[in-house]
Amino acid sequence: MIVKEMAVARALNLEGAAQGIERAKERAATRFDDVYALTVYRKISPACEAPKDEAAARSFYDKTPKAFTVPTSIRLSRVILPADATVDGESAEPWLLKQAKAISGGQQQFDAAASKAEQIYKLDAQGDVGWVALSDDNVILRALESANQGELVGPVKDGDYVYLFQIAEKRPGQLMPWSAVSGVAAQQAVRYCREQGRATVHENVLKKYGVQINENAVRGMFSKK
């Protein structure tokens, strides 16, 4: 996340220069100028205004239910391994498949597989990772969204990593009733507008300047040689 914020700041600096937005001379040589990036962000972000009255707020609620929906959340355990890792003489994916079969058959506990994987890979948490809101759109979270409480999901390969998940508990997403949110609907409308605007601006500037985050390289910075 830190690297992404730096990349966004750099892209905003470039966008500010492209649009001729004034910058303090004493900071002209600063490549990651957060102050200037914030100035550019504010100039190119869409304006967000609160609904004028309760009727307008209710209209926003009816038209934008996503802004008032609590996402599905799960209590999640996982095993994560580099796809090229070797465990007990096997590559990661077939090893995880064997663990999944043993766990499903009752011959092994999920925590035992997580403990074994932790001996191989320590950069990310193994085992219980707590409650996770399924609010992002990617292949792994879509798979978890469709799974039921108590089920295993995986092995799932994503990029250079392979995963095995177990869902301990699941709380379905739900739209909050108007009676529960009417008092804060106007503030939520502004908050939602800003969240969407921020995501759009970040996506646009990163795409415009060809920025891609190499997550494996970031992880590699912290690996022990």
Side-chain angles (χ1 to χ4, degrees):
M1 289 188 295
I2 293 171
V3 173
K4 183 175 181 180
E5 289 297 323
M6 291 176 66
V8 168
R10 179 60 181 151
L12 286 170
N13 280 200
L14 295 172
E15 181 64 13
Q19 294 197 21
I21 297 174
E22 187 177 353
R23 181 178 184 182
K25 293 181 179 179
E26 63 272 16
R27 300 180 65 87
T30 305
R31 290 176 59 80
F32 298 95
D33 188 340
D34 291 336
V35 175
Y36 182 61
L38 181 59
T39 299
V40 176
Y41 172 77
R42 287 174 173 169
K43 285 185 177 294
I44 66 177
S45 294
C48 295
E49 297 182 357
K52 296 179 180 179
D53 51 33
E54 185 175 352
R58 179 55 194 261
S59 177
F60 175 80
Y61 172 87
D62 292 334
K63 294 177 180 178
T64 321
K66 186 177 180 180
F68 300 93
T69 297
V70 178
T72 298
S73 59
I74 56 174
R75 183 64 183 266
L76 186 66
S77 292
R78 76 172 179 192
V79 175
I80 172 175
L81 287 168
D84 59 359
T86 301
V87 188
D88 293 338
E90 294 184 277
S91 57
E93 192 164 2
W95 182 82
L96 281 177
L97 180 59
K98 183 182 291 185
Q99 306 314 301
K101 290 179 178 178
I103 294 166
S104 298
Q107 291 87 35
Q108 180 174 283
Q109 297 295 315
F110 191 94
D111 287 346
S115 296
K116 183 69 174 180
E118 191 171 24
Q119 298 175 24
I120 308 299
Y121 181 71
K122 301 178 182 293
L123 294 182
D124 289 293
Q126 306 277 7
D128 185 2
V129 294
W131 285 94
V132 177
L134 304 182
S135 56
D136 295 324
D137 185 21
N138 64 47
V139 64
I140 293 179
L141 292 181
R142 284 199 298 273
L144 295 174
E145 176 74 38
S146 61
N148 297 317
Q149 183 169 307
E151 289 185 347
L152 291 173
V153 177
V156 178
K157 189 174 185 298
D158 183 44
D160 294 328
Y161 294 86
V162 60
Y163 303 81
L164 179 65
F165 299 99
Q166 185 178 55
I167 299 174
E169 297 180 63
K170 189 171 187 178
R171 296 173 181 166
Q174 60 179 339
L175 174 64
M176 298 294 289
W178 173 248
S179 59
V181 299
S182 59
V184 296
Q187 297 96 309
Q188 179 61 15
V190 174
R191 186 181 302 112
Y192 184 77
C193 173
R194 288 173 177 168
E195 289 174 353
Q196 296 302 301
R198 181 175 185 273
T200 299
V201 169
H202 285 194
E203 180 181 353
N204 288 345
V205 295
L206 291 178
K207 183 178 180 180
K208 179 176 180 179
Y209 293 100
V211 179
Q212 293 183 333
I213 307 299
N214 187 334
E215 295 185 7
N216 292 329
V218 175
R219 293 177 188 273
M221 292 171 63
F222 300 95
S223 62
K224 295 181 179 180
K225 302 297 183 182

